[in-house]
Amino acid sequence: MEREIIRYRHNVLNIDSFASFAGIRGGVNQNCKDVYFVRALAHGDNFTYDIDQMEVALQKVLSEGNLFYKRIGKLPRLRDAQEIQCYSSCYAKWTENHKRNVVTKVSATDGSLSHALGVALSRVLEIYHRNRPESNASMEKNFAVKLLYWFDQVMGRDFPRFWNEKRAVKIVAENVTKEQEYLFYYMVTLMGADALLVQREGDIEGDALKSLSQAFAPQKIRQPAPTVAAAPPQRKISQRKERTRPQTVLRRQEKSFEELAQLAASVVMIEVRDDSGEALSSGSGIMIGKGGYILTNNHVTSGGRFYSVRIEEEERIYETDEMIKYNPTLDLAVIRIGRQLNPIPVYEGGEKLVRGQKVVAIGSPLGLFNSVSDGIISGFRRIGDVDMIQFTAPISHGSSGGALLNMFGEVIGISTAGMDRGQNLNLAVGYEWIQMFVKGFAE
């Protein structure tokens, strides 16, 4: 049977918000699919709430199996000599094949995907030549090799199992100001994906490149003015005295150290691995959502191709490349594994944290799985733009991403850093930031 040829129309409807990008689904009609390539000119952190709401909406559709979604920080640099040789060979075979199917590590399992990638690559190289008339064959090859490498890295091994040109694919990237990276995201739209570039720190230059996408400037959220509730109607006072029932006040009970130590079952060890499966580093993570969501530090996950997650008293190792959300400023990230979890509750802030307050830290320092230590809050620090908790419970390298608990067994912070020059001078991102970051995932 002859393969259907899908044509693409870009930006048929106007996208003017993060919510509209999350909600739009380009339909396919008479072998023509609508796709969207959009730039959000959002400077600073004023739009974090809107972006987080978009993230929650996309993750919900993702969890239902109706969407392929990835959020990208920086595209990886191609440095490894073997990888360069591998993708140079992919490019050479593509040119020998009259620039039709292009076979990479990801596209090799699906002929339709190989064909779509080949067509998209050819179109992007045409635009590259038009924008850079001085480019030569060597420059084209180097650019094409990058595009193929980025495709495999971004889309990942699971993409072929989901993909066909009629299904919904959403890609969100941040701070895309370089021509080649910008054209990469345009390339994925030529394969049926919708791409949103969140331009916090600047925008792409050149009218020709800008014309490929649609731009919008998100509006700052205005908090509604408080409303005054109408007074309730007056009730007639009965002559008979009503008996009042004593109110029962439910008090949280502090846990013993032995009980707190049992919460280590909800703290995991994360091994960060490269393309070949070699372990690069390790850290810790906290179960924060029943649907497989694990909170850790951004610096723990950054640079990894995929992650091996170990759960206490389980022999199975859970491998995942699902990076759900990350924020380098807060140094927080959420990954997901295919397992139901028993999350630790995040403190809701009923009482202010104070110096001298007892805490317990759980993490995997130096690969020692789920070590438990106790201490106190010794201070509160402002590091950059983030409020941090300073505490004395001993932690070491590998504890990053571990849980800092109060005596009620609630997460009040996530261990982030230790000061090597001092003894027991350790820092954690506080629960206020965690609550904001995991909204929509924590259960």
Side-chain angles (χ1 to χ4, degrees):
M1 181 181 294
E2 189 174 344
R3 182 181 174 277
E4 289 184 337
I5 303 298
I6 302 293
R7 296 180 296 107
Y8 297 104
R9 298 188 304 174
H10 280 78
N11 302 327
V12 176
L13 299 178
N14 185 46
I15 302 295
D16 59 2
S17 68
F18 296 110
S20 58
F21 176 80
I24 197 75
R25 297 288 185 274
V28 178
N29 184 24
Q30 296 182 348
N31 292 341
C32 182
K33 181 177 182 179
D34 296 337
V35 293
Y36 293 86
F37 188 31
V38 187
R39 306 184 334 270
L41 309 181
H43 300 287
D45 293 326
N46 294 324
F47 310 102
T48 299
Y49 176 82
D50 271 355
I51 294 172
D52 285 349
Q53 291 299 103
M54 175 189 69
E55 188 90 28
V56 170
L58 290 174
Q59 289 296 337
K60 182 177 184 299
V61 183
L62 174 68
S63 66
E64 295 167 351
N66 298 321
L67 175 73
F68 183 91
Y69 168 58
K70 284 289 184 75
R71 184 169 175 182
I72 313 300
K74 291 184 178 180
L75 291 173
R77 298 185 67 177
L78 179 55
R79 293 176 172 175
D80 184 83
Q82 290 184 341
E83 294 281 29
I84 293 172
Q85 179 59 39
C86 171
Y87 290 98
S88 295
S89 176
C90 293
Y91 173 77
K93 291 177 181 178
W94 175 65
T95 55
E96 292 168 5
N97 191 35
H98 306 289
K99 297 187 176 181
R100 294 175 181 166
N101 293 17
V102 56
V103 178
T104 68
K105 296 176 183 178
V106 168
S107 70
T109 59
D110 188 315
S112 295
L113 181 58
S114 296
H115 180 82
L117 178 57
V119 171
L121 177 62
S122 181
R123 173 66 179 140
V124 167
L125 290 178
E126 289 175 8
I127 296 172
Y128 178 71
H129 277 303
R130 191 163 63 240
N131 200 51
R132 287 182 172 268
E134 77 282 3
S135 61
N136 55 36
S138 178
M139 293 171 64
E140 175 187 299
K141 174 189 172 183
N142 291 338
F143 178 41
V145 166
K146 280 185 184 179
L147 290 172
L148 298 178
Y149 173 71
W150 286 337
F151 174 79
D152 277 7
Q153 294 294 307
V154 169
M155 308 315 280
R157 296 172 294 176
D158 294 333
F159 185 60
R161 291 201 295 268
F162 176 90
W163 182 86
N164 70 51
E165 292 165 311
K166 297 180 181 181
R167 300 187 75 176
V169 176
K170 298 278 187 182
I171 305 294
V172 176
E174 298 203 20
N175 302 321
V176 180
T177 58
K178 296 180 179 179
E179 174 194 30
Q180 293 188 355
E181 295 179 356
Y182 180 83
L183 288 176
F184 166 74
Y185 290 108
Y186 181 69
M187 185 180 80
V188 299
T189 69
L190 295 172
M191 301 177 66
D194 298 325
L196 170 64
L197 311 181
V198 182
Q199 307 290 63
R200 295 177 186 266
E201 299 175 1
D203 196 15
I204 190 73
E205 295 182 356
D207 292 340
L209 292 177
K210 286 181 178 179
S211 67
L212 298 174
S213 60
Q214 175 190 123
F216 72 93
Q219 299 297 312
K220 292 185 179 180
I221 299 171
R222 294 183 179 179
Q223 297 295 334
T227 57
V228 180
Q234 296 291 328
R235 295 179 59 190
K236 293 183 179 180
I237 300 175
S238 173
Q239 297 298 321
R240 183 178 61 188
K241 291 185 178 180
E242 295 183 1
R243 297 178 62 184
T244 59
R245 296 180 180 178
Q247 292 184 347
T248 302
V249 179
L250 297 177
R251 287 184 166 274
R252 295 180 301 157
Q253 295 293 320
E254 290 193 359
K255 299 180 183 293
S256 66
F257 284 109
E258 291 82 1
E259 291 172 320
L260 291 170
Q262 292 176 7
L263 295 176
S266 295
V267 179
V268 305
M269 184 166 73
I270 301 171
E271 290 182 318
V272 182
R273 299 188 179 275
D274 62 14
D275 279 325
S276 64
E278 291 295 319
L280 300 174
S281 59
S282 67
S284 304
I286 308 168
M287 298 180 186
I288 49 92
K290 293 179 181 178
Y293 297 106
I294 296 171
L295 175 69
T296 185
N297 290 137
N298 180 69
H299 79 261
V300 169
T301 58
S302 62
R305 179 66 181 84
F306 67 97
Y307 313 100
S308 298
V309 176
R310 298 172 183 267
I311 297 175
E312 193 170 66
E313 297 184 358
E314 284 195 25
E315 293 185 2
R316 178 177 173 182
I317 299 174
Y318 298 87
E319 291 190 348
T320 180
D321 61 359
E322 287 194 71
M323 171 61 68
I324 303 300
K325 187 177 182 180
Y326 65 93
N327 187 309
T329 302
L330 298 179
D331 195 18
L332 297 177
V334 173
I335 63 174
R336 184 169 65 173
I337 62 174
R339 181 191 188 278
Q340 287 290 300
L341 303 179
N342 184 27
I344 305 177
V346 179
Y347 181 53
E348 295 183 353
E351 297 179 2
K352 188 177 180 180
L353 303 181
V354 296
R355 289 188 183 90
Q357 181 175 335
K358 294 180 181 178
V359 295
V360 166
I362 304 176
S364 300
L366 305 176
L368 301 174
F369 199 3
N370 279 356
S371 299
V372 181
S373 58
D374 67 298
I376 62 169
I377 294 177
S378 55
F380 302 93
R381 307 294 173 213
R382 182 82 171 177
I383 309 296
D385 294 325
V386 182
D387 295 314
M388 309 280 275
I389 301 169
Q390 181 182 331
F391 62 99
T392 63
I395 62 172
S396 301
H397 296 291
S399 293
S400 291
L404 184 66
L405 307 176
N406 61 16
M407 298 305 290
F408 300 103
E410 299 162 324
V411 176
I412 61 170
I414 179 170
S415 301
T416 296
M419 300 180 186
D420 293 334
R421 290 174 295 176
Q423 192 172 27
N424 292 344
L425 297 178
N426 306 306
L427 297 171
V429 177
Y431 67 90
E432 301 98 328
W433 296 109
I434 294 173
Q435 282 180 337
M436 178 187 71
F437 187 74
V438 304
K439 187 176 181 180
F441 307 114
E443 302 174 23

